[in-house]
């Protein structure tokens, strides 16, 4: 993109007064002009008494021949020495070259801006989003709004940078019916140029007499409100992150065989004083046995994303590429999936947000239960791996389920023999629970925003951040997950086209149950409770 020099925005103030020959006022030379065609200003080619312009960011006026008082006109008629047109033009160029460095003495009715301020404002307008055309605003007010739909009483800026228009007024019917009618008429009047949003009226004094909040209608250009297309770099980054996630899942599968790994490899990864890395070729024989666990963890993440796409397809909502986040502890922290189209309503936001975690949770819990069943079968001892008993103290819900299936004897030991599917299901459920936390642009945050609104999401978000910071949820994973959310997904989702209509009772009930299960999964067992339940060794005092 080319840059514009600052000289393009310099605010020049001109003042030409007609004085008698050789007259000097305030140390400035003044010129008298006379043309054969009459007293015309050589800048604007109009009669001075007609020419008078005031711009938004400029206070320049033309005080040319006849633009002053009566004494000047009398002095002009009695002047005997006139300046030629060429001399006038040279004087004009000289006046222009020094006007920016010399303070203007002309009167001003509006605020005076410096050249730097003008440059900044002009540059912001140039680089900022394109605003709504004022002529279209007038057309929309005349053609769309009225006594039978929505009576407009006030207009305010709308959008992140005020690039749109928010129409405030009084609703004259059922909000869903009025909104559908306005959308249809907007398409007939302006085509696909704008998007119309129905939002809650900001700072409203009371609810709507018909029930529910008072509504307003926001107007934004499509190129401003709709997400941009997927770029080539996004495809490349998505592919690289997927490759790294596959590697982290394989690494998790190798780490699950820690009791069988060579001692030098275990020492390097567990001893903080170890400096010299071991021969990594020693890990090659363990890669093949690590693949089933890697497939399970990766399969949960892919199934999670498939759930989002299956829920978005019938709603005609486009989703972007998933950006997987690798993690060596869980295999993956999940994926960032962006909406590539504006959501029609809040019901759609809740459905799409819950579909992914629901699909991932069903597959993960199935793998977890099957793995526990295989772990309790003596015939499958050859396929089991040894894990520390402290693993089951990381989740209240999963620890209780494992204790109920495996029994007191198996769980009351330093190491527990389990099938790799247990680890895959455990990691999948933990990742799904993290993504369902009600904060930011996570699946849980989107669902809370759709079900209860942005204000509720703000309160839930503060509580979640506090619990992650204190390590209440997720144990040792709370800090890295909290940093990930702050960096990548802390901002809430953009509003829907219909950001007012309620989502229904059953969606809110399902969301409440999901949040409760999330807390049960991420809440770790403290030592006293783990000892009482028989999950892990009993500590001797």
């Amino acid at each position: 993109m080319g840059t514009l020099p600052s000289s393009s925005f310099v605010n020049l103030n001109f003042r030409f007064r007609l004085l008698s020959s050789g007259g000097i006022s305030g140390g400035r030379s003044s010129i008298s002009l006379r043309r054969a065609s009459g007293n015309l200003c050589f800048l604007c080619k109009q009669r001075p008494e007609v020419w008078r312009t005031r711009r938004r960011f400029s206070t320049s006026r033309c005080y040319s021949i006849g633009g002053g008082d009566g004494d000047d006109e009398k002095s002009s008629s009695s002047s005997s020495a006139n300046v030629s047109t060429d001399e006038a033009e040279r004087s004009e160029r000289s006046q222009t070259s020094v006007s920016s460095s010399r303070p203007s003495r002309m009167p001003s009715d509006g605020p005076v801006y410096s050249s730097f301020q003008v440059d900044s404002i002009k540059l912001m307008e140039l680089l900022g989003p394109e605003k709504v055309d004022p002529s279209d605003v007038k057309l929309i007010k005349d053609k769309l709004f009225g006594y039978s739909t929505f009576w407009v009483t006030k207009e305010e800026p709308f959008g992140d940078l005020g690039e749109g228009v928010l129409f405030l007024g009084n609703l004259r019917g059922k909000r869903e019916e009025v909104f559908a009618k306005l959308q249809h008429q907007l398409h007939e009047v302006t085509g696909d140029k704008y998007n119309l949003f129905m939002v809650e009226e900001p700072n409203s004094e009371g609810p709507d007499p018909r029930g529910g909040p008072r509504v307003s209608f926001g107007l934004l250009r499509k190129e401003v409100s709709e997400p941009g297309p997927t770029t080539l770099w996004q495809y490349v980054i998505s592919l690289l992150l997927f490759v790294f996630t596959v590697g982290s899942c394989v690494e998790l599968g190798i780490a699950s065989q820690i009791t069988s790994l060579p001692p030098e490899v275990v020492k390097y990864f567990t001893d903080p004083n170890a400096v010299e890395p071991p021969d990594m070729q020693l890990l090659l024989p363990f890669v093949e046995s690590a693949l089933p666990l890697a497939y399970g963890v990766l399969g949960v993440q892919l199934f999670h994303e498939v759930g989002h796409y299956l829920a978005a397809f019938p709603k005609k909502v486009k989703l972007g590429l998933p950006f997987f986040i690798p993690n060596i502890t869980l295999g993956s922290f999940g994926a960032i999936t962006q909406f590539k189209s504006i959501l029609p309503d809040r019901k759609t936001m809740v459905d799409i947000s819950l579909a992914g975690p629901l699909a991932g949770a069903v597959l993960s819990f199935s793998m977890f239960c099957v793995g526990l069943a295989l772990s309790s079968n003596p015939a499958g001892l050859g396929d089991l791996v040894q894990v520390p008993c402290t693993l089951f103290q990381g989740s209240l819900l999963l620890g209780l389920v494992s204790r109920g299936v495996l029994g007191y004897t198996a769980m009351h030991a330093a190491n527990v023999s389990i099938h790799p599917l247990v680890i895959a299901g455990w990691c999948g459920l933990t990742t799904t629970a993290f993504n369902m936390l009600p904060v930011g642009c996570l699946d849980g945050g989107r669902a809370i925003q759709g079900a209860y609104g942005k204000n509720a999401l703000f309160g839930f978000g503060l509580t979640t951040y506090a619990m992650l910071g204190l390590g209440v949820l997720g144990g040792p994973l709370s800090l890295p997950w909290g940093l990930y959310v702050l960096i990548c997904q802390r901002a809430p989702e953009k509003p829907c086209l219909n950001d007012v209509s309620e989502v229904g009772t059953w969606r809110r009930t399902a969301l409440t149950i999901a949040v409760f299960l999330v807390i049960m999964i991420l809440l770790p067992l403290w030592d006293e409770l783990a000892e009482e339940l028989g999950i892990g060794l009993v500590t001797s005092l």
Side-chain angles (χ1 to χ4, degrees):
M1 179 182 294
T3 58
L4 294 177
S6 60
S7 60
S8 301
F9 301 136
V10 174
N11 182 17
L12 302 179
N13 295 323
F14 299 97
R15 180 173 181 175
F16 296 96
R17 305 285 299 212
L18 182 61
L19 301 177
S20 59
S21 176
I24 300 176
S25 176
R28 295 187 184 181
S29 299
S30 300
I31 59 175
S32 60
L33 304 177
R34 184 180 301 275
R35 304 235 178 185
S37 57
N39 293 332
L40 298 180
C41 176
F42 63 89
L43 289 176
C44 56
K45 301 297 186 293
Q46 296 181 9
R47 294 194 178 276
E49 59 271 13
V50 178
W51 192 92
R52 186 181 183 93
T53 301
R54 180 181 299 170
R55 296 183 180 179
R56 181 181 180 185
F57 303 117
S58 176
T59 57
S60 62
R61 297 181 186 175
C62 182
Y63 289 83
S64 182
I65 304 173
D69 51 19
D71 295 339
D72 291 337
E73 294 178 359
K74 186 182 296 184
S75 176
S76 173
S77 61
S78 62
S79 178
S80 59
N82 295 325
V83 184
S84 64
T85 303
D86 295 338
E87 292 175 346
E89 293 176 353
R90 284 196 298 270
S91 299
E92 175 194 355
R93 289 193 294 269
S94 175
Q95 183 93 2
T96 303
S97 63
V98 300
S99 61
S100 60
S101 61
R102 206 164 47 192
S104 174
R105 298 184 180 179
M106 76 174 197
S108 175
D109 295 336
V112 178
Y113 294 88
S114 65
S115 297
F116 176 78
Q117 289 174 315
V118 174
D119 291 353
S120 302
I121 296 173
K122 294 280 188 177
L123 188 59
M124 290 176 61
E125 287 190 343
L126 180 65
L127 300 180
E130 191 171 358
K131 296 186 176 182
V132 177
D133 192 346
S135 60
D136 290 337
V137 174
K138 185 178 183 305
L139 179 63
I140 290 171
K141 288 178 62 177
D142 295 339
K143 297 294 184 179
L144 269 68
F145 301 114
Y147 65 91
S148 62
T149 54
F150 185 79
W151 187 264
V152 178
T153 59
K154 188 179 179 182
E155 298 175 19
E156 291 182 358
F158 181 68
D160 296 335
L161 300 176
E163 63 274 20
V165 179
L166 181 66
F167 300 99
L168 290 84
N170 302 315
L171 189 66
R172 300 299 178 89
K174 293 184 178 180
R175 55 174 61 95
E176 288 79 10
E177 296 178 359
V178 170
F179 182 57
K181 183 178 180 180
L182 292 177
Q183 281 185 312
H184 179 70
Q185 292 178 347
L186 178 66
H187 181 74
E188 291 182 347
V189 173
T190 62
D192 293 332
K193 191 175 181 180
Y194 296 104
N195 278 323
L196 187 67
F197 296 82
M198 184 170 66
V199 298
E200 294 186 15
E201 180 179 318
N203 304 320
S204 60
E205 297 180 355
D208 191 275
R210 298 173 180 82
R214 296 183 65 89
V215 300
S216 302
F217 294 93
L219 188 70
L220 286 173
R221 299 183 72 95
K222 277 186 174 290
E223 57 268 24
V224 173
S225 56
E226 294 185 353
T230 304
T231 62
L232 177 61
W233 278 110
Q234 289 177 327
Y235 281 103
V236 174
I237 294 175
S238 177
L239 179 60
L240 290 177
L241 288 176
F242 179 76
V243 172
F244 291 149
T245 302
V246 172
S248 64
C249 292
V250 174
E251 186 273 339
L252 176 63
I254 296 176
S256 65
Q257 310 173 62
I258 190 171
T259 56
S260 304
L261 296 177
E264 55 270 27
V265 176
V266 177
K267 181 180 179 180
Y268 176 75
F269 286 104
T270 57
D271 187 0
N273 297 323
V275 178
E276 185 178 355
D279 186 6
M280 291 300 157
Q281 292 184 355
L282 298 174
L283 297 177
L284 293 179
F286 300 92
V287 173
E288 184 177 356
S289 57
L291 291 180
L293 176 58
Y295 291 153
V297 174
L298 190 63
V300 171
Q301 305 305 322
L302 293 176
F303 206 64
H304 181 116
E305 298 306 314
V306 170
H308 284 312
Y309 283 92
L310 291 179
F313 180 76
K315 302 289 187 177
K316 298 181 180 180
V317 175
K318 298 179 181 179
L319 299 180
L321 293 173
F323 295 91
F324 290 93
I325 308 299
N327 179 266
I328 60 175
T329 304
L330 298 174
S332 173
F333 261 153
I336 300 175
T337 306
Q338 297 176 330
F339 291 117
K340 286 297 182 180
S341 58
I342 303 178
L343 299 178
D345 49 40
R346 289 163 58 177
K347 292 181 181 179
T348 303
M349 179 182 289
V350 174
D351 293 344
I352 297 177
S353 301
L354 291 180
L358 178 61
V362 169
L363 180 59
S364 299
F365 191 71
S366 300
M367 296 169 62
F368 181 74
C369 293
V370 172
L372 288 177
L374 295 176
S375 301
S376 60
N377 184 10
L381 293 178
D383 299 330
L384 304 184
V385 295
Q386 297 286 328
V387 298
C389 66
T390 55
L391 171 67
F392 296 93
Q393 298 176 4
S395 171
L396 176 60
L397 178 60
L398 301 184
L400 291 175
V401 174
S402 302
R403 167 69 172 79
V405 176
L406 298 180
Y408 178 84
T409 303
M411 295 291 294
H412 199 258
N415 295 317
V416 183
S417 298
I418 58 175
H419 195 273
L421 282 177
V422 176
I423 302 177
W426 186 296
C427 293
L429 285 171
T430 304
T431 302
T432 301
F434 272 125
N435 281 273
M436 268 302 297
L437 286 176
V439 60
C441 206
L442 299 176
D443 291 332
R446 289 171 172 173
I448 289 292
Q449 179 180 342
Y452 299 101
K454 276 190 176 182
N455 294 332
L457 175 61
F458 180 76
F460 276 100
L462 288 180
T463 305
T464 303
Y465 280 128
M467 298 178 73
L468 288 174
L470 296 174
V472 177
L473 298 176
L477 291 174
S478 60
L479 181 58
W481 179 261
L483 293 175
Y484 158 71
V485 175
L486 282 174
I487 295 173
C488 300
Q489 292 186 299
R490 67 181 182 275
E493 190 60 54
K494 292 183 178 181
C496 310
L497 290 176
N498 179 0
D499 206 50
V500 178
S501 297
E502 299 293 338
V503 300
T505 304
W506 73 267
R507 285 184 174 87
R508 289 185 173 181
T509 303
L511 179 58
T512 303
I513 296 174
V515 172
F516 174 76
L517 293 176
V518 164
I519 296 175
M520 294 292 290
I521 291 174
L522 295 181
L523 188 65
L525 283 166
W526 52 95
D527 295 338
E528 293 79 5
L529 182 59
E531 181 177 341
E532 184 177 350
L533 296 176
I535 301 176
L537 289 173
V538 178
T539 58
S540 58
L541 299 177

